[in-house]
């Protein structure tokens, strides 16, 4: 009887260890590199949602939400969370250049959750919009940048004090 109790206790401990290890591995595997992507595009792309979704999925971004501007061209900006991998960030730039006719403004990391991405957001005003020129954009697109180096450069480009414009 004592033996069966010990055997039972050992089996329960083994099962608990296996379940715990499985849950820890599942948590690591299930965390997406990019948690959410919000994109605003010109209305000309409204009938291409399936193709757009496929292209973003091929770039490794599956949780994509599209909105379409009723008129005109959405702002040429991107915003990245601080944990978006450099390769995914470069894909975001590529897709913004392709579908939004360019990237002229960066939005600071501090405004977003860690693995969040936005393309052409109109939710921000000029107090947090950092203009970027083609040379700086090319530096961000450098494939030799690690994720840490990419985000250091991104933070450098979005941390200088801005001169108030307009009504501010």
């Amino acid at each position: 009887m004592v033996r069966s109790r010990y055997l039972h206790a050992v089996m329960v401990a083994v099962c608990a260890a296996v379940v715990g290890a499985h849950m820890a591995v599942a948590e690591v595997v299930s965390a997406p590199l990019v948690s959410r992507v919000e994109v605003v595009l010109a209305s000309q792309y409204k009938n291409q949602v399936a193709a757009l979704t496929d292209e973003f999925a091929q770039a490794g971004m599956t949780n994509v939400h599209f909105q379409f501007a009723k008129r005109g061209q959405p702002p040429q900006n991107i915003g990245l969370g601080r944990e978006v991998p450099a390769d995914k960030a470069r894909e975001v730039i590529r897709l913004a250049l392709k579908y939004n006719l360019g990237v002229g403004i960066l939005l600071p990391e501090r405004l977003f959750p860690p693995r969040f991405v936005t393309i052409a957001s109109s939710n921000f005003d000029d107090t947090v919009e950092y203009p970027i020129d083609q040379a700086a954009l090319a530096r961000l697109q450098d494939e030799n940048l690690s994720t840490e180096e990419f985000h250091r450069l991104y933070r450098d480009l979005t941390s200088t004090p801005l001169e108030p414009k307009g009504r501010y």
Side-chain angles (χ1 to χ4, degrees):
M1 180 135 169
V2 172
R3 258 189 186 168
S4 67
R5 282 188 182 168
Y6 285 119
L7 181 60
H8 183 69
V10 168
M11 294 303 287
V12 168
V14 168
C15 288
V18 169
V19 169
H22 177 70
M23 289 175 69
V25 170
E27 287 178 13
V28 171
V29 172
S30 67
L33 297 175
V34 175
S35 61
R36 182 177 174 95
V37 180
E38 292 184 358
V39 184
V40 180
L41 296 174
S43 61
Q44 71 193 43
Y45 295 108
K46 202 171 202 170
N47 297 325
Q48 300 176 25
V49 173
L52 290 166
T53 302
D54 288 345
E55 187 166 0
F56 275 81
Q58 289 173 5
M61 294 172 267
T62 55
N63 188 10
V64 183
H65 301 269
F66 295 103
Q67 294 178 10
F68 300 94
K70 293 186 191 303
R71 282 181 258 172
Q73 183 66 31
Q76 293 182 337
N77 64 32
I78 60 169
L80 305 167
R82 70 183 180 277
E83 293 178 13
V84 173
D87 62 327
K88 300 301 177 213
R90 285 187 287 272
E91 285 294 319
V92 168
I93 294 170
R94 180 185 69 79
L95 292 164
L97 290 170
K98 180 176 181 179
Y99 291 108
N100 201 29
L101 305 177
V103 175
I105 297 170
L106 299 180
L107 301 170
E109 294 176 335
R110 63 184 156 75
L111 300 175
F112 305 105
R115 295 184 311 269
F116 182 88
V117 169
T118 187
I119 298 174
S121 176
S122 61
N123 294 334
F124 302 95
D125 62 23
D126 59 357
T127 63
V128 293
E129 292 180 335
Y130 290 83
I132 183 169
D133 61 22
Q134 292 304 310
L137 188 62
R139 288 181 17 219
L140 280 175
Q141 291 174 292
D142 181 358
E143 293 188 13
N144 295 320
L145 291 177
S146 68
T147 297
E148 293 79 22
E149 294 167 332
F150 178 92
H151 283 284
R152 188 175 315 118
L153 176 58
Y154 191 93
R155 279 189 303 275
D156 288 347
L157 293 169
T158 59
S159 62
T160 57
L162 293 170
E163 286 292 321
K165 298 181 256 181
R167 63 183 185 268
Y168 302 103

